[in-house]
Amino acid sequence: MTTIAVLGNGRVGGNLATALTRAGHEVTAADRTPGAAADAARTARIVINATPGDGSLERLTALREELRGKILVDVSNATADGPDGLPGELLHPGSSLAEQLQEALPETHVVKTLNTMLFPVMTAPAMLTRAPDAFLSGEDPQAKQTVRELLNDLGWHDEWITDLGGIRTARATEAAILFVPHVIRANGFSPFAISIAR
């Protein structure tokens, strides 16, 4: 059992909090009330960023002390809103939200994952007709191993998880969000993941 704080209680955060609780972890979901995120982060070993990506950097930088020495699992994508409410342009072209977070929080172990799929797939990867991929980006090998184990608890088989390397590799997975609005417009909101055919 691990103590986990989920920051963000929308569809993504709520889905993750429910699934991780079901897997036996002690989970606190922080809402938007003042101080809730700080209180949750302070007592957790792992913090999951499921806040809207366009404000994540500011929100999490304000929690520098609470996040010191913790693993920060970043599942968000930082984009502008498109004209129809779907993701638009990247807010950190030539970089990534994960890199910005790691730079702003040097004493926190940032691991990027689960940002290349619609949210239901994050906690039920076997729902798809083909095996999906989850990618890991981060500087700390032990932090990535811990996150890999969390993914196992969510139903991700080891062979479905690919460690891409350092935090800079999050540029690639975050850029995958550019596929999402086009896929949704073509096929609706049926669950899907960006995967590598092998």
Side-chain angles (χ1 to χ4, degrees):
M1 183 191 75
T2 304
T3 54
I4 300 171
V6 178
L7 308 184
N9 60 351
R11 291 178 299 181
V12 174
N15 188 40
L16 286 168
T18 298
L20 289 166
T21 299
R22 191 181 304 122
H25 297 286
E26 183 180 326
V27 180
T28 302
D31 58 22
R32 292 177 179 250
T33 57
D39 289 344
R42 190 177 297 114
T43 57
R45 178 181 174 222
I46 298 172
V47 178
I48 298 176
N49 174 39
T51 65
D54 58 353
S56 290
L57 185 58
E58 181 181 357
R59 287 187 188 94
L60 293 170
T61 301
L63 301 175
R64 183 178 287 108
E65 291 305 313
E66 291 83 358
L67 292 171
R68 188 188 304 275
K70 308 287 176 73
I71 296 172
L72 176 63
V73 182
D74 179 32
V75 303
S76 293
N77 288 301
T79 64
D81 284 337
D84 51 5
L86 294 174
E89 295 300 313
L90 298 173
L91 293 181
H92 303 290
S95 182
S96 64
L97 174 59
E99 287 175 90
Q100 298 295 313
L101 288 168
Q102 187 62 86
E103 184 176 343
L105 303 165
E107 296 181 77
T108 301
H109 306 299
V110 179
V111 178
K112 189 81 181 192
T113 194
L114 295 181
N115 63 307
T116 55
M117 62 201 69
L118 285 191
F119 77 92
V121 182
M122 294 178 176
T123 58
M127 75 189 318
L128 300 180
T129 57
R130 298 179 186 174
D133 285 294
F135 303 100
L136 299 174
S137 300
E139 297 300 320
D140 185 86
Q142 185 53 54
K144 287 192 284 187
Q145 178 58 34
T146 299
V147 174
R148 177 184 288 271
E149 291 165 7
L150 270 190
L151 294 182
N152 293 156
D153 288 345
L154 293 174
W156 289 88
H157 298 187
D158 271 328
E159 61 269 25
W160 299 350
I161 304 169
T162 300
D163 184 344
L164 296 178
I167 201 67
R168 186 170 178 174
T169 64
R171 296 180 186 187
T173 60
E174 289 192 26
I177 190 66
L178 297 176
F179 279 100
V180 170
H182 307 300
V183 173
I184 290 173
R185 290 182 192 115
N187 298 315
F189 280 92
S190 57
F192 70 89
I194 305 294
S195 295
I196 307 299
R198 294 178 180 85

